[in-house]
């Protein structure tokens, strides 16, 4: 799908920018006759515009004869009459006349090699779309005080999406957005309000992610006998604080909850010696806790059971983000 980009600081209204871009896509053959345009929802997500604005643009395109709306089916590019085979006199062709000559020569070379016009267009689209995708920026935004949660999100997103993901502190986000408006911001729902407040003036898209539901882990906690001791080890201090609150609400004073970040050796050793079960939220915490258990294994009667939590971001959120970024 062609990527349309809106300049929020332009004097040209956003609806006019989108209208002109779609009109050019049709006029230049990128959207050929009969092509089905993206839904208003999909285009609103891509551009950051309101769906009503996209609908207004589609109505204008329909009124001027560029597209036609078929009830219950969608919006399609309307076939146009030919004008004696003359080339379209578009401003961009005059502005980039030398570049256009290169395009013409490249196209001639492809045709000489037996490539059809449709295949040539497809090859161009594949390369352009790939470069646009590579240049797209996905930023994970979290507060400085909980940068560990951001590290967890970056690791999981890069593995799941197979694209580069950049970690940005909320306190630095405004400065980053001064340099670019094409990024997609991703954050946990815990931090969504602050991130949206910073991103809104720049018309930058923000996608909230839900954390893993931890249903398996909570089931284990519910089954523990009274006076049990649970250890929680995580890179994220925010996760540790939230976990203490959740487990206290679940079991009250029936169980003892101890928490530590992996670099806090004193607290980690105390957890290893005292807990029956230790939950680790990330690979670093898991490996560090394993090593801590090995160092004291001869000094304790029964080593704690170590449970590695599956992930931090919920799978539905990963799938949603993959769709929103056009990776499906």
């Amino acid at each position: 799908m062609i990527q349309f980009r809106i300049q929020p600081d332009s004097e040209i209204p956003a609806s006019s920018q989108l209208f002109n871009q779609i009109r050019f896509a049709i006029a230049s053959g990128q959207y050929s006759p009969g092509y089905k345009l993206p839904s208003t929802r999909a285009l609103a997500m891509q551009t950051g515009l309101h769906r009503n604005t996209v609908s207004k643009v589609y109505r204008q395109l329909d009124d001027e004869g560029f597209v036609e709306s078929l009830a219950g089916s969608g919006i399609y590019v309307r076939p146009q009459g030919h004008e004696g085979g003359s080339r379209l006199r578009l401003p961009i062709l005059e502005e980039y006349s030398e570049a256009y000559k290169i395009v013409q020569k490249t196209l001639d070379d492809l045709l000489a090699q037996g490539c059809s016009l449709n295949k040539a267009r497809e090859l161009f689209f594949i390369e352009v779309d790939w470069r646009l995708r590579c240049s797209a920026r996905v930023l994970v935004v979290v507060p400085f005080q909980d940068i560990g949660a951001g590290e967890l999100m970056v690791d999981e997103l890069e593995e799941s999406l197979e694209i580069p993901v950049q970690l940005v502190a909320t306190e630095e986000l405004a400065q980053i957005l001064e340099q670019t408006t094409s990024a997609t911001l991703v954050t946990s729902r815990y931090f969504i309000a602050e991130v949206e407040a910073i991103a809104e003036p720049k018309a930058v898209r923000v996608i909230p992610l839900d954390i893993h539901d931890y249903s398996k882990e909570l089931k284990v906690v519910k089954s523990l006998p009274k006076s049990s001791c649970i250890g929680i080890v995580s890179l994220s201090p925010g996760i540790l604080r939230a976990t203490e609150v959740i487990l206290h609400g679940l079991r009250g004073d029936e169980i003892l909850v101890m928490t530590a970040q992996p670099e806090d050796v004193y607290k980690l050793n105390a957890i290893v010696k005292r807990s029956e079960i230790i939950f680790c939220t990330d690979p670093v915490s898991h490996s560090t806790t394993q090593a801590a258990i090995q160092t004291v294994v001869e000094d304790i009667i029964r080593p704690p059971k170590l449970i590695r939590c599956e992930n931090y971001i919920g799978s539905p959120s990963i799938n949603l983000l993959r769709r929103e970024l056009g990776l499906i």
Side-chain angles (χ1 to χ4, degrees):
M1 185 172 65
I2 298 173
Q3 297 293 312
F4 298 111
R5 302 186 186 281
I6 303 301
Q7 298 290 336
D9 54 353
S10 172
E11 296 179 357
I12 302 174
S15 59
S16 297
Q17 293 183 51
L18 181 59
F19 175 81
N20 288 333
Q21 290 181 57
I22 297 177
R23 184 173 63 174
F24 174 72
I26 295 172
S28 62
Q30 297 179 68
Y31 280 171
S32 56
Y35 181 87
K36 183 179 181 180
L37 271 63
S39 66
T40 55
R41 180 181 181 277
L43 199 50
M45 292 301 299
Q46 181 191 137
T47 60
L49 299 176
H50 196 280
R51 288 182 67 177
N52 289 345
T53 302
V54 177
S55 297
K56 173 185 174 183
V57 171
Y58 277 176
R59 286 196 299 270
Q60 185 179 358
L61 289 166
D62 195 348
D63 291 343
E64 298 193 17
F66 289 99
V67 302
E68 55 184 338
S69 177
L70 301 181
S73 178
I75 299 174
Y76 297 83
V77 175
R78 187 190 299 272
Q80 304 290 321
H82 295 285
E83 298 179 356
S86 60
R87 295 188 188 279
L88 295 168
R89 297 188 60 82
L90 299 169
I92 192 172
L93 299 184
E94 298 177 3
E95 183 179 358
Y96 296 99
S97 59
E98 294 302 316
Y100 186 55
K101 291 178 183 178
I102 296 174
V103 172
Q104 289 178 300
K105 183 180 183 308
T106 303
L107 184 56
D108 289 339
D109 290 343
L110 289 172
L111 295 175
Q113 295 177 28
C115 185
S116 68
L117 282 174
N118 283 334
K119 289 298 181 183
R121 181 175 61 182
E122 185 177 349
L123 291 173
F124 273 109
F125 282 177
I126 289 173
E127 182 63 15
V128 170
D129 287 347
W130 168 248
R131 295 192 183 194
L132 286 173
R133 181 182 296 179
C134 289
S135 64
R137 300 183 68 188
V138 177
L139 308 181
V140 168
V141 187
V142 296
F144 264 130
Q145 65 180 12
D146 204 5
I147 207 71
E151 293 172 354
L152 295 181
M153 294 168 70
V154 168
D155 288 343
E156 291 186 15
L157 291 178
E158 287 192 330
E159 181 179 355
S160 301
L161 304 178
E162 298 181 342
I163 60 173
V165 178
Q166 181 180 349
L167 177 59
V168 175
T170 308
E171 293 80 353
E172 297 177 344
L173 180 58
Q175 181 180 355
I176 295 293
L177 294 183
E178 289 295 330
Q179 304 168 14
T180 180
T181 57
S182 61
T184 294
L185 308 183
V186 177
T187 189
S188 165
R189 289 193 188 275
Y190 280 109
F191 315 125
I192 187 66
E194 186 175 359
V195 175
E196 283 187 327
I198 298 172
E200 184 176 5
K202 300 293 184 180
V204 176
R205 181 171 58 166
V206 182
I207 299 179
L209 298 180
D210 295 313
I211 64 172
H212 177 60
D213 63 12
Y214 296 104
S215 57
K216 294 180 181 179
E217 292 81 1
L218 291 175
K219 185 176 181 180
V220 172
V221 173
K222 290 179 181 178
S223 67
L224 291 175
K226 293 182 180 180
S227 301
S228 296
C229 179
I230 298 176
I232 311 292
V233 185
S234 175
L235 283 170
S236 167
I239 292 178
L240 297 179
R241 290 192 297 271
T243 301
E244 286 186 285
V245 172
I246 292 170
L247 295 187
H248 185 270
L250 188 67
R251 296 293 305 266
D253 296 327
E254 293 180 347
I255 59 175
L256 174 64
V257 179
M258 302 176 67
T259 63
Q261 292 183 265
E263 65 270 19
D264 192 332
V265 178
Y266 178 80
K267 285 188 175 181
L268 184 59
N269 285 336
I271 287 176
V272 167
K273 293 177 181 179
R274 178 71 177 82
S275 302
E276 286 89 9
I277 294 179
I278 302 176
F279 295 98
C280 298
T281 67
D282 53 88
V284 173
S285 297
H286 186 258
S287 59
T288 304
T289 304
Q290 276 185 320
I293 292 174
Q294 291 303 314
T295 60
V296 299
V297 67
E298 295 181 358
D299 301 327
I300 52 181
I301 298 175
R302 180 182 298 174
K305 180 180 180 182
L306 195 58
I307 298 178
R308 164 75 167 90
C309 299
E310 292 182 5
N311 53 351
Y312 176 64
I313 305 173
S315 297
S317 281
I318 292 285
N319 293 332
L320 171 63
L321 183 58
R322 188 180 287 116
R323 289 195 299 271
E324 297 294 351
L325 294 175
L327 300 176
I328 294 182

